[in-house]
Amino acid sequence: MRRPSRRLAAITVASLTTVTLAVSTQTASAGPTATLADPDISVTNTKAHLDQLQSIADANGGNRYTGKPGYKASVDWVKGKLDAAGYTTTVQQFSTSAGTSYNLIAEWPHGDANHVVMAGAHLDSVSRGPGINDNGSGSAGILETALAYAASGETPKNRVRFGFWGAEELGLVGSKYYVNNLPAADRDKVEVYLNFDMIASPNPGYFVYDDNPAGDSARDDLTTYFDGKSIPWEYIDVQGRSDHAAFRSLGIPTAGTFTGAEETKTSAQAKKWGGEAGAAFDPCYHSACDTNENLDLTALDRNIDAIGHMVWTYGAKDYGSDPEPPTGANLLKNPGFESGAVDWTGTSGPITKDSGRPAHSGTWKAWLGGNGRTSSENVSQSVTIPATATAPKLSYWIRSDTNETGSTVYDTLKVQVVSGTSTTTLATHSNVGTSSTYAQKTLDLSAYKGKTITLKLTASEDSSLQTSFVVDDTSVTVG
Ligand code: PHE
Ligand code: ZN
Ligand code: ZN
Ligand code: CA
């Protein structure tokens, strides 16, 4: 879907990276799609995954908590299963107050990458127990659905991606990290995010998230599914208490199911669903007793079949053939430098929040030059200009100041395009004509349609009298 991109401040500042990632715009062929929208996801297999997570906790001090070996062992085990099934997996490392954690992302490498359908669950437990209902259940459920999808022979129309989040129990840390580090152009491709956190509570309710108007149609697909199975359900406003919150904050449609945590089941709910009135949906919530005996397998079975229904349905959904990336989307990553030096390469130092010069927006910018001695500094980023771009442009805001006087050029900032072995200078700023207010500069990139290029900004100063070039809020658009 089309949605205005929004820049978020990332929560960590990574060191200068030398990896450049190109924006790719390939479109897979959309062949005929046979859709069985009601797969029966195996509860036997899912329970076996939960037993495996229990064993992992048992072998690692009784938990799968962030920073403890049981968490990493959980990631490694899930990754092994998905790799063997043909998924493309990525482990995304990040740090937390309790130690290093990881998100595991698994993508089925078929279908149109411009339309991504995601399901996610947090894989970490609290420190007090093995975390089998919370949230082995959601993790095992999406794992088994992913394995069944791979084995089904479905020809997906869309790109199906699963996220296993780390450090949810520390405050949704992993899912926020994922979202904050997803380039704007990629965020725009996520059509829906479905969250599963606690789906086998021992005294279960059948709750459907109702906390994101953008996700109302996915929510309705879930309630219609439950209606079709004669399973009574209730809406719940989960108050941003799980990993869909980060996706919701980007305007992405979200939905999910939940069987209840520490809250008490009412007598009306016990009439409707069975179980014990006046008791918690999960009396072992966040406790040592959240083991593989703390599960209602009927609730698990019903919820995993709902996951299967949603993944199959959304994997086959027709989102149309919007040309992607949409007009106006910024193909640059970390374009306003607010994540620090991530996504840019070059000499260390220019990307800064030093208050000696103002940012155009936020606090970070690329401050090139300003040394007052013979020196050269640069920042660069690679980007693929789609062949279908109509009027691709580079634009950026720049302000400059100098201690030089007169009309001789001593210090320069060159804005260049490196394409293959050739380097072309698109603009040169210098100590002559500096302006200590920000102005926007826009440059034509139409010579580079269909090419992966590196944009490079290089400041060169002579031996004395500083000139500072401060660049912020860059963009590459397709026109
Ligand atoms: N995210 C909560 C936890 O892990 C549980 C929860 C899930 C609460 C879904 C509300 C809705 O502790
Ligand atoms: Zn949880
Ligand atoms: Zn929890
Ligand atoms: Ca900035």
Side-chain angles (χ1 to χ4, degrees):
M1 73 180 293
R2 290 167 186 247
R3 156 177 349 103
S5 310
R6 205 180 327 165
R7 175 154 44 84
L8 295 184
I11 56 174
T12 59
V13 177
S15 57
L16 202 68
T17 172
T18 52
V19 180
T20 53
L21 292 167
V23 174
S24 70
T25 55
Q26 78 279 14
T27 302
S29 65
T33 305
T35 301
L36 170 66
D38 276 325
D40 182 11
I41 307 301
S42 165
V43 71
T44 307
N45 292 354
T46 306
K47 174 60 163 55
H49 303 330
L50 288 163
D51 292 340
Q52 181 65 35
L53 292 173
Q54 178 73 55
S55 304
I56 287 171
D58 291 345
N60 290 282
N63 67 58
R64 301 181 303 102
Y65 184 56
T66 306
K68 301 288 185 206
Y71 182 68
K72 182 57 163 40
S74 301
V75 171
D76 292 345
W77 177 74
V78 173
K79 181 178 187 299
K81 299 287 277 186
L82 292 165
D83 284 339
Y87 279 84
T88 303
T89 59
T90 310
V91 174
Q92 183 181 43
Q93 183 175 327
F94 56 95
S95 50
T96 80
S97 58
T100 302
S101 186
Y102 311 87
N103 292 326
L104 171 64
I105 309 300
E107 186 162 295
W108 187 237
H110 306 283
D112 184 349
N114 288 318
H115 299 291
V116 176
V117 169
M118 280 193 82
H122 75 87
L123 184 54
D124 63 313
S125 74
V126 292
S127 59
R128 295 186 54 184
I132 300 302
N133 184 38
D134 181 16
N135 185 33
S137 63
S139 297
I142 66 168
L143 169 61
E144 182 56 22
T145 304
L147 299 177
Y149 197 68
S152 70
E154 282 282 305
T155 305
K157 195 172 193 63
N158 303 316
R159 194 56 69 105
V160 176
R161 186 185 297 165
F162 296 89
F164 297 82
W165 311 121
E168 188 271 354
E169 299 290 7
L170 275 63
L172 316 177
V173 177
S175 53
K176 287 182 192 169
Y177 184 86
Y178 176 77
V179 160
N180 287 345
N181 288 281
L182 197 58
D186 290 353
R187 297 199 293 244
D188 231 45
K189 294 174 183 163
V190 180
E191 305 287 359
V192 68
Y193 172 78
L194 305 166
N195 195 64
F196 302 96
D197 184 358
M198 306 183 70
I199 57 166
S201 304
N203 185 24
Y206 293 86
F207 296 104
V208 175
Y209 298 5
D210 183 26
D211 66 350
N212 178 6
D216 281 357
S217 89
R219 176 202 67 184
D220 293 349
D221 287 332
L222 283 165
T223 59
T224 302
Y225 174 80
F226 282 143
D227 285 341
K229 302 280 169 194
S230 302
I231 299 164
W233 52 267
E234 288 182 11
Y235 286 137
I236 187 166
D237 178 352
V238 293
Q239 310 273 1
R241 278 182 66 191
S242 195
D243 297 296
H244 61 299
F247 292 85
R248 182 182 65 175
S249 72
L250 289 184
I252 293 171
T254 61
T257 65
F258 175 50
T259 53
E262 76 282 13
E263 314 84 352
T264 303
K265 186 181 268 188
T266 65
S267 47
Q269 289 172 326
K271 270 200 195 86
K272 170 158 60 178
W273 291 321
E276 205 180 331
F281 294 102
D282 182 357
C284 289
Y285 176 62
H286 283 189
S287 303
C289 59
D290 183 12
T291 67
N292 58 342
E293 306 203 329
N294 185 48
L295 297 167
D296 183 284
L297 296 181
T298 301
L300 181 65
D301 194 9
R302 290 169 162 183
N303 276 278
I304 60 180
D305 287 347
I307 299 172
H309 170 74
M310 295 298 279
V311 167
W312 262 248
T313 302
Y314 279 77
K317 191 175 163 117
D318 189 356
Y319 285 104
S321 50
D322 291 0
E324 295 279 352
T327 304
N330 190 350
L331 304 188
L332 292 181
K333 289 170 277 186
N334 187 22
F337 306 103
E338 295 304 309
S339 301
V342 298
D343 297 319
W344 295 89
T345 56
T347 51
S348 77
I351 297 176
T352 180
K353 55 178 174 177
D354 185 315
S355 61
R357 296 293 183 283
H360 177 255
S361 71
T363 46
W364 292 79
K365 56 262 168 180
W367 178 357
L368 296 133
N371 298 307
R373 57 183 160 73
T374 305
S375 55
S376 176
E377 298 179 343
N378 67 79
V379 295
S380 61
Q381 185 172 146
S382 292
V383 62
T384 299
I385 310 297
T388 54
T390 49
K393 289 183 177 64
L394 165 66
S395 88
Y396 53 90
W397 290 84
I398 181 166
R399 55 153 283 163
S400 51
D401 59 80
T402 188
N403 292 343
E404 302 280 3
T405 52
S407 57
T408 305
V409 170
Y410 297 107
D411 306 323
T412 58
L413 176 74
K414 284 191 157 65
V415 179
Q416 295 175 311
V417 173
V418 183
S419 176
T421 54
S422 78
T423 300
T424 305
T425 300
L426 298 181
T428 304
H429 303 268
S430 79
N431 56 287
V432 178
T434 57
S435 166
S436 59
T437 55
Y438 270 103
Q440 191 175 28
K441 181 96 182 160
T442 300
L443 301 167
D444 179 24
L445 295 177
S446 50
Y448 304 101
K449 288 180 194 176
K451 298 204 164 116
T452 298
I453 59 174
T454 300
L455 299 169
K456 187 170 185 187
L457 278 61
T458 307
S460 306
E461 284 183 282
D462 73 346
S463 59
S464 68
L465 299 175
Q466 74 87 24
T467 304
S468 291
F469 303 97
V470 190
V471 173
D472 201 2
D473 293 335
T474 63
S475 72
V476 169
T477 50
V478 298

